[in-house]
Amino acid sequence: LRVKIGITQKQLADHVGLSQSYIARLEKGDLNPTYENVRKIYSVLENYLDKNMNNDILAKDIMTKNVLTVNSTDTIEKGINLMLENGISQLPVLEGNIIVGSITEELINKILNNEKIKNIIKNKKVKDFMEESFPQISENTSVKIISYLLNQYQAILVVSKGKLEGIITKTDLIKALSQKL
């Protein structure tokens, strides 16, 4: 994405407050960055994109359809397994067709890293652990608003007439923007 935008490793490093060698090693895959460094890099790249792009990309263009969900009455174990099996880091929680919350990788990691909790939760319900729902937007929401929301949340849900139509994560946004360049 950096190359497609047309900035050098040095320029990116200067804006992020890291060394050029760090950026080079990151791009080669020689190191795993911290969440904070990824967030900074993402923010800088996003600012460059905002300056050089019009807002003709809409939510419906970049959303992932066929959203995996979990029901609030399902066991938390089922939710964990669904996330692990599909390599995803968040799940919307539904009651019927109504979005009522979310479970995230961060929450799951807390559960899996605590032996006391892990043994107790096997039959606990998702509703006992779920967090607030991800923000909901329409299919015609612009990439600028999507980008802003993804700075605050792990995912955004795309809803049409009260029905969940898709989900957008930072990965979806980056893929869409890099294809646009």
Side-chain angles (χ1 to χ4, degrees):
L1 186 56
R2 175 194 60 77
V3 171
K4 287 184 177 184
I5 290 171
I7 63 173
T8 66
Q9 289 178 346
K10 175 81 171 115
Q11 288 171 314
L12 179 58
D14 289 345
H15 285 297
V16 176
L18 299 169
S19 69
Q20 182 272 326
S21 64
Y22 182 92
I23 300 296
R25 289 178 54 213
L26 179 63
E27 289 181 358
K28 283 184 186 177
D30 290 345
L31 63 95
N32 289 323
T34 65
Y35 172 77
E36 185 60 26
N37 285 342
V38 170
R39 190 188 60 71
K40 287 178 188 176
I41 291 167
Y42 176 79
S43 179
V44 168
L45 293 174
E46 180 182 59
N47 286 337
Y48 270 92
L49 287 169
D50 281 349
K51 292 177 188 173
N52 299 316
M53 238 182 103
N54 56 22
N55 282 329
D56 59 347
I57 299 175
L58 303 176
K60 64 184 173 186
D61 302 323
I62 64 174
M63 69 183 184
T64 298
K65 298 175 183 173
N66 303 322
V67 182
L68 293 174
T69 63
V70 67
N71 195 289
S72 65
T73 57
D74 289 336
T75 64
I76 192 68
E77 185 177 30
K78 178 180 178 181
I80 291 170
N81 289 334
L82 190 59
M83 290 171 68
L84 292 173
E85 289 166 6
N86 291 283
I88 56 177
S89 58
Q90 62 275 320
L91 277 173
V93 178
L94 304 179
E95 284 183 4
N97 290 329
I98 299 171
I99 302 162
V100 294
S102 66
I103 56 174
T104 63
E105 183 177 54
E106 184 179 331
L107 172 69
I108 302 309
N109 284 335
K110 286 179 187 174
I111 292 170
L112 294 177
N113 289 325
N114 186 326
E115 285 300 319
K116 289 179 184 176
I117 295 175
K118 192 163 74 170
N119 294 329
I120 295 171
I121 61 117
K122 272 210 181 253
N123 296 316
K124 293 283 187 182
K125 304 295 181 197
V126 168
K127 65 183 174 185
D128 298 325
F129 295 94
M130 71 181 183
E131 300 167 326
E132 70 179 11
S133 175
F134 299 119
Q136 298 174 30
I137 59 172
S138 77
E139 295 176 309
N140 293 318
T141 302
S142 74
V143 71
K144 185 150 184 89
I145 293 171
I146 294 166
S147 180
Y148 172 78
L149 288 169
L150 286 174
N151 279 325
Q152 316 297 318
Y153 300 94
Q154 289 186 351
I156 304 167
L157 302 177
V158 181
V159 178
S160 177
K161 298 178 184 171
K163 183 177 178 232
L164 180 61
E165 298 291 338
I167 189 169
I168 301 172
T169 64
K170 289 180 181 178
T171 301
D172 296 317
L173 181 62
I174 289 171
K175 281 181 191 173
L177 294 177
S178 65
Q179 290 172 356
K180 180 78 173 168
L181 294 174

